[in-house]
Amino acid sequence: MTDASVSHSSRDPAPQEAVELDPHETAEWVEAIEAVIHRDGPERARYLLERSLLRAASAGAHVGLATSTPYVNTIDPGAETASPGDHAIERRIQALVCWNAIALVTQANATSSELGGHIASYQSAATLYEVGFNHFWHAPTAEHGGDLVYIQGHSAPGIYARAYLEGRISEPRMRAFRREVGGGGLSSYPHPWLMREFWQFPTVSMGLGPIMAIHQARFMTYLQARGTTAEAGAPGTTAEAEAPGVAGRKVWAFMGDGEMDEPESLGAIAIAGRERLEDLIFVVNCNLQRLDGPVRGNGKIIQELESCFRGAGWNVIKVIWGSRWDRLLESEQRPLLMQRMQDALDGDYQTYKSRDGAYVRERFFGAHPRLGELVADWSDEEIFALNRGGHDPQKVYAAYAAAASHRGQPTVILAKTIKGYGMGDAGEGQNTTHQQKQMTERALLAFRDRFELPLTDEQAKAADFYLPPPDGPELTYLRERRAALGGSLPARRPAAKALEVPELSAFQSQLDGSGEREISTTMAFVRILAALLRDERVGPRVVPIVPDESRTFGMEGMFRQLGIFSRVGQLYEPEDSNQLMSYREDERGQILQEGINEPGAFSSWIAAATSYSNHGVSTIPFYVFYSMFGFQRVGDLAWAAADSRARGFLIGGTAGRTTLNGEGLQHEDGHSHLLASAIPNCRAYDPTFAYELAVIVHDGLRRMHAEQEDVFYYVTVMNENYRHPALPPDAREGILRGMYLLSGAEPAGDGPRVQLLGSGTILREVIAAAGLLHDDFGVDADVWSVTSFTELRREAIAAERWNGLHPTAEPRDSHVERCLSARPGPVVAATDYVRAFAEQIRPFVRGRYRTLGTDGFGRSDYRAALRRFFEVDRFHVAVAALHGLAQEGTIDFAIVQGAIEKYELDVESEPPWLR
Ligand SMILES: Cc1ncc(C[n+]2csc(CCOP(=O)(O)OP(=O)(O)O)c2C)c(N)n1
Ligand SMILES: [Mg+2]
């Protein structure tokens, strides 16, 4: 066996002849092992070999233990836990679920294929789900918090079909699969946003399910550890009566074998191994196919994955062969059969199941005369009926039972199945099966016959849904099983108890301004966070999350104070133990320091931001990261967070293209706000002053955790130090709506006048420009702080839409219009983001509007040089304002020319975005 229990290291210099010194002695060793196998079983043989190898290694032999095991089931038939279920009824229930799943997709595509859907994937996975639903997965109850099941996105039809049998989904709703407009239909895939009481986890973007599940399981250990703190008496901490806690709960994550190609799928498995996440179970449905064709036609995906997961410290359970193979594997030809099983490639296995028994006899068993003899008196049908492990409820049950009771490691179940199982020549094992959205009448009849469904020809041909009598054995059994496990799944709990959030005055020191001190908004944020952490009610709920950037953001003081969460605490003496701010890991630590791992950190944030629903306990996560490595890096996870109805704060640090000035092109973010603006429930702000930040964070807490709105916040903070004024009276509402008047030229004189809008760090250039305009040109300026162009646009397009649909009613004004309409003069907006950020409000600025932004690649230099380069400094703002006045005819163009010369603007170079 090529990859059996032992492999030589690639460094082993000894050629075969050099070590085969004594064939007789070798034979004796092999015989000895055979005797052990015979007497004490293969496990004992493995143990002895491992011990011997260790001894050889200690003497200098380059040996390594193999990362994969033979291509047979991990659990021997004799060691299987027997399923306690009624196998005949379970088989019938599964057939009904499979039928209704086919009917769901077929009906949706009956008149046109516009809606789409998937049949083959769920058919291959049905047993894997059914065994879980019947025997393993708890719904949330007073006693059990409920297992968290990450369902493969495009297996949704089967999950709907089961919910239909349970009476949770009506037939009209089943007929509205993928028709959500108008409400009531079933979403294409698991989307909590669209079916908020049903789906918990949006998994359909491949790879996100696995990484989110790992960090969910890790977050559960965090909650448990923090809950222990509460039991020890800390006030107001997470362990409280509102939820039964996380004890006994498991995370089950389903994924496809093709999906394992995604870096996110395998990229975090080492974390699960290292953290010994024993309540995490992956089920990889190895149907050997992805969308286009074979996953590893020339290899073996199960063996490859086994190596990866074993290397990462997981317990691996392979469920390759069904019970009908047991007899063959117990025969004398076991070694030869195992060799053949090992030799055949995944591409071969796929082809076997797309053909027939005669083909399997010839190609698989025919490879060796003694194997051929093994099945000589079998019919072709019997050979073809040799089943795969993932379709055998008993094998799957045994694997699940072993996984559920395994301690000390996460478990992955690698189940071999057939894509399009049961579809026959309509798709079973065929390369085209993934795209199959319908079954022909002939295929539907064949399916009915194969699974003995009680349907008339007419019903079958019409792909009618089939609901057995409610008091019949199938539905009675199905209900009883779910009742025993606490109720139906999947089920999402929309609400947790609202939190009492602190008053705005909790952040008084930020509201009062910084006086003479120059600080950054990053520093202000850290102080706001510190104030929140001190609050008795919400402090323990705060989950600070950082990729490897705490020191970048000045948060390292929290290490000592809060501790970094570690399941084992701190087993070493930290280098800086004698210092006040030493590095401290703690079993009850509050900070999640995720390493250099933005997708992982974001996944932890999602787990915390949805804890109100999945754990019945609201937590308040703050994920603080380099804004350039935020949405751009993990945008798909941000989308999944939005779909998940996440509630929490994303803090984009060192934001803007010219504040993080020395770091250059890859670090300087000028567009994350555009990416954030595309997410409907993400409230995004680019504040300048500490009081703005405090108002925004406070309102976020109120909306998300007191009012329980399903929104989350993206707030950018900067590392540029300056003085912060105090909160102006009446500014609060404008800060939240997106703009407010910072300084007006009151009383309005008769001279020329302009409106200057500034956002983020560039607001300070805008304020300075107002001074230049006044001092050098006698022009008055109203200065507006724009905390969010995105929020302004959202409100304005809503008003515009309303007006368009209510033409005879009194028109509604947007906040932008209310602010600017009575203010004379051209409008100039400047931002540290690309112009498109400020362009968002153009249709709602009635006068002349000019935007300045940082379009182009970032680069390193001094801030002043960069702002001049991107043409967003005070001089460019002033000249843009003067140009607007000239265009309006208020001043002469010669004045603008004079200003350009006075301020020495570079007029001949290429625009910055071309350089
Ligand atoms: C990130 C991403 N890329 C592509 C797709 C489109 N897609 C949906 S299913 C699928 C094939 C899945 O194959 P596999 O993971 O083996 O699942 P199976 O259907 O075989 O169970 C693809 C490519 C997707 N959903 N997400
Ligand atoms: Mg697959």
Side-chain angles (χ1 to χ4, degrees), residues 313-615:
W314 287 54
N315 171 42
V316 180
I317 301 177
K318 298 197 286 191
V319 188
I320 304 178
W321 310 108
S323 308
R324 293 183 193 146
W325 286 92
D326 287 349
R327 195 153 54 91
L328 294 177
L329 279 165
E330 281 157 15
S331 77
E332 276 196 0
Q333 301 306 338
R334 177 181 169 92
L336 196 58
L337 181 57
M338 281 171 64
Q339 186 66 54
R340 182 69 191 110
M341 287 168 160
Q342 179 69 35
D343 289 346
L345 300 170
D346 279 0
D348 298 322
Y349 283 114
Q350 184 193 336
T351 307
Y352 297 150
K353 284 299 181 188
S354 69
R355 303 289 168 85
D356 55 21
Y359 185 88
V360 179
R361 184 195 301 280
E362 183 198 327
R363 297 299 179 99
F364 182 80
F365 291 103
H368 194 286
R370 274 187 284 148
L371 285 182
E373 279 166 25
L374 210 53
V375 291
D377 57 350
W378 290 38
S379 69
D380 288 349
E381 287 69 30
E382 283 172 314
I383 290 179
F384 203 57
L386 280 166
N387 53 343
R388 292 196 178 160
H391 294 298
D392 187 325
Q394 168 51 35
K395 299 285 184 200
V396 173
Y397 182 91
Y400 284 10
S405 60
H406 188 79
R407 308 315 296 159
Q409 284 176 303
T411 294
V412 60
I413 291 164
L414 303 171
K416 183 162 164 165
T417 63
I418 302 162
K419 191 142 177 172
Y421 181 69
M423 292 168 76
D425 55 15
E428 197 151 339
Q430 295 174 14
N431 276 338
T432 53
T433 197
H434 188 88
Q435 301 294 81
Q436 198 89 16
K437 297 171 183 42
Q438 263 186 315
M439 285 190 19
T440 60
E441 291 186 351
R442 200 170 63 85
L444 290 166
L445 289 169
F447 190 95
R448 176 202 62 182
D449 294 344
R450 181 164 165 183
F451 295 100
E452 298 163 351
L453 290 155
L455 298 165
T456 65
D457 281 5
E458 291 319 305
Q459 288 170 320
K461 286 195 279 189
D464 274 352
F465 293 118
Y466 179 74
L467 199 58
D471 302 332
E474 292 89 0
L475 293 194
T476 304
Y477 183 88
L478 185 145
R479 280 194 305 269
E480 280 173 6
R481 287 311 308 145
R482 283 317 311 167
L485 289 161
S488 295
L489 279 183
R492 184 179 176 281
R493 285 177 298 194
K497 230 166 60 180
L499 295 182
E500 262 183 67
V501 302
E503 298 297 314
L504 181 59
S505 57
F507 311 121
Q508 195 61 44
S509 57
Q510 306 312 313
L511 303 177
D512 289 344
S514 67
E516 295 297 303
R517 276 174 308 130
E518 296 198 335
I519 65 165
S520 65
T521 43
T522 303
M523 218 179 284
F525 163 71
V526 173
R527 289 173 188 171
I528 287 169
L529 188 61
L532 259 187
L533 284 159
R534 276 196 303 273
D535 185 279
E536 282 202 345
R537 290 155 305 175
V538 298
R541 311 285 188 128
V542 173
V543 185
I545 303 172
V546 278
D548 200 33
E549 301 287 355
S550 301
R551 294 182 200 278
T552 311
F553 304 121
M555 291 170 69
E556 68 272 29
M558 291 185 181
F559 291 164
R560 175 101 209 146
Q561 182 202 344
L562 304 177
I564 294 167
F565 175 63
S566 159
R567 288 195 77 184
V568 295
Q570 194 158 39
L571 305 178
Y572 59 95
E573 186 185 339
E575 166 277 319
D576 51 5
S577 58
N578 54 355
Q579 289 174 26
L580 204 58
M581 295 218 265
S582 70
Y583 199 80
R584 186 168 75 85
E585 303 192 50
D586 191 311
E587 282 164 86
R588 292 172 189 174
Q590 194 164 359
I591 300 174
L592 292 176
Q593 208 284 8
E594 301 280 356
I596 310 167
N597 176 8
E598 284 81 7
F602 206 99
S603 299
S604 285
W605 182 82
I606 293 176
T610 54
S611 175
Y612 72 93
S613 165
N614 294 324
H615 305 297

Side-chain angles (χ1 to χ4, degrees), residues 121 124 152 256-259 285-291 295 419:
S121 301
S124 72
Q152 185 197 37
D257 47 358
E259 182 171 9
N285 175 17
C286 297
N287 57 24
L288 314 186
Q289 290 178 243
R290 49 192 170 204
L291 192 153
V295 174
K419 191 142 177 172

